[in-house]
Structure formats: C-alpha cells, structure tokens
Amino acid sequence: MQLSDKFFKERKLEHLVENQTSYTLNNAAMHVFETHLQAERVMLQFDQPVLASMLIGKKVMHLRDKKAFDFLPGESLILPSNEVMCIDFPEANQDNPTRCLAMAISDEKINKVINLMNEEMPKHDGSEWTLIDYNYHFTNDASIYGIIQRLLYLFTENHPSKDFFVDNMLQELIIRILQGNARETYMENASKLGSHNRLAYVIEYIGAHLHEPISVSDLSKKACMSESHFHKTFKEELGITPIDYINSERIKLAIKLLKDPTRKIKEIYLECGFENRSYFNRLFKRKINVSPGEYQSKFMDGTLH
C-alpha cells in the first residue's frame, strides 16, 4: 500500500518511535504512524472506534483477551473506543521503518451506516447489524485494500469536496467490514448456529461438501428460500455471492493440500470439487498470483514450509 509523495513532503519526522502525521475531516481522522527504532510496550489509545491497517514492517500486538500476534502488511484490525494497544516493534530501524495507519471514525457516522443497513438490508433472522465490539483482525481483501488506498489519497488531497468523497468511501468500508465479520462469524460458529440460522446451516453444508457439485438452487432449497431471495440475502449479509464463497473455500482447501508435494494436482482439484483444471488454475492464480503447479513446487524445493 502506497503513501503519496505529498505525505512525505509535508510530514514532520520528529520522533523515531510512533511519529504521527494526522489529517482530520468531519467524520474521521487518519493518523499515519512511523517507527524507525526497535521498541517494546508502546501504548496507544483512541476515544473512537479505529481501523488500524499495516502498511510496511511488522508489529507485535498485545490486546485484552487476545494472545499476542504479529500484525503484518495487508492486514487490518478493528478496535473499539478506548481500547488500549500495547505494541512491540521488533524489526524497525532507520532503513526499514514500520508504518501503520489508524483511522478513527466517529460514532455518529458508524451509527448512521448501521441504521441504513438495518433499514435497507435487514438480516434474514431478524437480528440487527451492530458495531463490532471486540478486536477483529483480518486480511484485507481486494475491495477493502482498494478503499484504504483511496482513503490514503483523499485525506492528503487538497480538494474542496474531499469530506463528501471520504464520507462515501467510509460508508462502503463500514458495510464491507461488517459483512466480512458476519461471514467469519458464520464460518467459525456454523455448527452452533446451524440449527436456528439458515445461512449458518448453508455455510456448514458447503464446508462439508466442497468435494461434491454444489448449486445455488440446491443451497436455496436447504435455506428454504427462493433462489433469487437466497442469492440476495447471502450477498447482502456476507458481502459475497454464494458461488464466489464456494470457490473461495475450495481454493483455501487446495492451498492446504498443495503443501504436500507428493499429491498430484489433478487429484487435488477433483478433491476440491473442481471439474476441470483450466477453471481451477484460473481461480487459483487470481487469488494467489501463481499457478497451482508453481505454488506446489515451492514446497518441493523447500522455498516454503
């Protein structure tokens, strides 16, 4: 993820540990933190909900009720108001600084988006969309990566309408994060929720039958919905179409199986429910940026472990 040239020209590098450059708009503030020196137990806290996203380098995060974990580029973290972060910087130095953005979003903006979601795209089980109230750590998908990159540009741009532009991007960001969190919740708790939640039941079914043909028509019947209503509900709550979700889970399984260099690729793609290799190759490369054969060869030659 890239910072603009304007950022580097205008920032004031006054501290070697968590040097802060801030931009404030009506409903959000973006802070870019840079660390040029190894450090431990650096404390940080915001009085609003925060999206933290790693740009360069590595942090080790210590949060309440959560085991310490590495925070790496391409990953984000949603923190509730007044959450205390305790941070280590094991690798930062002058030539290899750690950079992270922290975007504080006003409660008013978040609640406005949540109310809109409850009005325009209510959950199928009657529950309401609510703000995530715990530390949600995730890998950015392409859409969230694109939004964050766009926000980095907008906050540093001199444009009379940038408050309006940022507000629109924040709305999309909040919706996508809540959908992603809902998807993860269903996946982690499918067996517990499946008896009383139709989408959780479908998620559990997909996970158990990846090796078999799965159609949206069959899934809609299991959810006791029409096909069109099921497709709409699935996409609105989970932020992804049923077919894209199935393919994503199949590729995850393929990644796991390809780590065994003795397995044949044909055997793997059939086990993952793909009917032909060209379609499997295309989806795999789109997600991993290398072909299945290239990925497996890295385990054969010991490049990956």
Side-chain angles (χ1 to χ4, degrees):
M1 201 172 291
Q2 299 295 316
L3 289 162
S4 67
D5 292 339
K6 189 172 185 294
F7 166 82
F8 291 104
K9 289 176 183 175
E10 295 183 354
R11 67 126 187 242
K12 294 180 180 178
L13 194 57
E14 298 175 342
H15 308 286
L16 290 181
V17 177
E18 289 294 68
N19 187 82
Q20 181 177 345
T21 306
S22 298
Y23 306 87
T24 303
L25 295 176
N26 287 340
N27 287 311
M30 178 177 284
H31 312 279
V32 179
F33 292 94
E34 299 177 90
T35 298
H36 296 253
L37 189 70
Q38 288 185 18
E40 292 183 349
R41 302 288 170 173
V42 178
M43 311 300 283
L44 193 60
Q45 184 179 27
F46 295 91
D47 60 4
Q48 293 178 323
V50 168
L51 165 75
S53 190
M54 281 298 293
L55 304 177
I56 297 174
K58 171 183 172 179
K59 291 183 178 184
V60 179
M61 303 292 290
H62 304 268
L63 304 174
R64 62 177 172 88
D65 303 327
K66 197 174 180 77
K67 188 177 178 181
F69 62 93
D70 292 345
F71 194 26
L72 302 169
E75 297 178 351
S76 291
L77 182 65
I78 305 298
L79 298 157
S81 303
N82 300 309
E83 176 77 7
V84 176
M85 293 175 268
C86 181
I87 310 167
D88 299 336
F89 301 87
E91 300 175 355
N93 59 55
Q94 294 276 16
D95 299 322
N96 182 36
T98 296
R99 291 195 182 99
C100 177
L101 73 83
M103 186 161 53
I105 306 172
S106 72
D107 289 306
E108 182 182 358
K109 178 63 180 178
I110 293 171
N111 290 332
K112 187 176 180 181
V113 175
I114 289 173
N115 289 337
L116 178 66
M117 293 175 73
N118 284 321
E119 290 172 11
E120 301 295 330
M121 42 192 290
K123 289 189 174 183
H124 76 287
D125 62 359
S127 63
E128 293 198 333
W129 293 101
T130 57
L131 178 63
I132 302 162
D133 62 358
Y134 59 92
N135 301 316
Y136 172 39
H137 177 212
F138 61 94
T139 300
N140 300 329
D141 60 20
S143 57
I144 288 179
Y145 175 91
I147 293 170
I148 294 172
Q149 186 68 66
R150 177 67 176 160
L151 285 167
L152 276 169
Y153 172 78
L154 289 173
F155 269 93
T156 57
E157 184 188 25
N158 289 325
H159 194 289
S161 302
K162 74 176 182 178
D163 257 309
F164 177 76
F165 298 152
V166 167
D167 265 3
N168 286 336
M169 297 302 295
L170 287 175
Q171 176 171 305
E172 182 180 352
L173 179 64
I174 293 165
I175 290 172
R176 287 187 181 274
I177 287 172
L178 290 174
Q179 289 172 330
N181 184 242
R183 186 165 65 244
E184 188 167 302
T185 299
Y186 280 139
M187 290 168 64
E188 290 180 354
N189 302 284
S191 58
K192 295 178 185 177
L193 300 173
S195 61
H196 60 274
N197 185 293
R198 287 181 281 182
L199 287 187
Y201 175 73
V202 166
I203 293 294
E204 184 179 21
Y205 176 84
I206 291 171
H209 296 82
L210 287 174
H211 60 292
E212 301 173 7
I214 305 173
S215 71
V216 175
S217 175
D218 289 340
L219 295 178
S220 64
K221 290 172 184 174
K222 293 186 180 300
C224 300
M225 299 179 186
S226 70
E227 192 169 334
S228 60
H229 181 55
F230 169 73
H231 189 279
K232 179 176 182 291
T233 299
F234 194 101
K235 189 174 181 181
E236 285 185 347
E237 287 204 29
L238 305 186
I240 190 172
T241 68
I243 292 299
D244 286 343
Y245 176 79
I246 293 165
N247 285 335
S248 177
E249 290 304 293
R250 284 174 167 162
I251 294 299
K252 284 182 188 176
L253 176 58
I255 289 168
K256 190 181 299 184
L257 297 177
L258 284 165
K259 292 177 181 178
D260 181 352
T262 66
R263 297 288 301 271
K264 295 185 181 300
I265 291 178
K266 182 176 181 180
E267 177 186 316
I268 288 172
Y269 77 70
L270 290 174
E271 187 173 333
C272 294
F274 291 102
E275 295 181 359
N276 66 78
R277 181 161 179 171
S278 61
Y279 183 55
F280 169 61
N281 283 357
R282 188 163 67 250
L283 290 179
F284 192 96
K285 195 164 186 177
R286 187 186 302 165
K287 187 172 180 67
I288 310 300
N289 295 320
V290 296
S291 71
E294 289 170 329
Y295 184 82
Q296 190 180 48
S297 69
K298 292 179 180 179
F299 291 92
M300 291 178 178
D301 63 19
T303 305
L304 294 176
H305 301 280

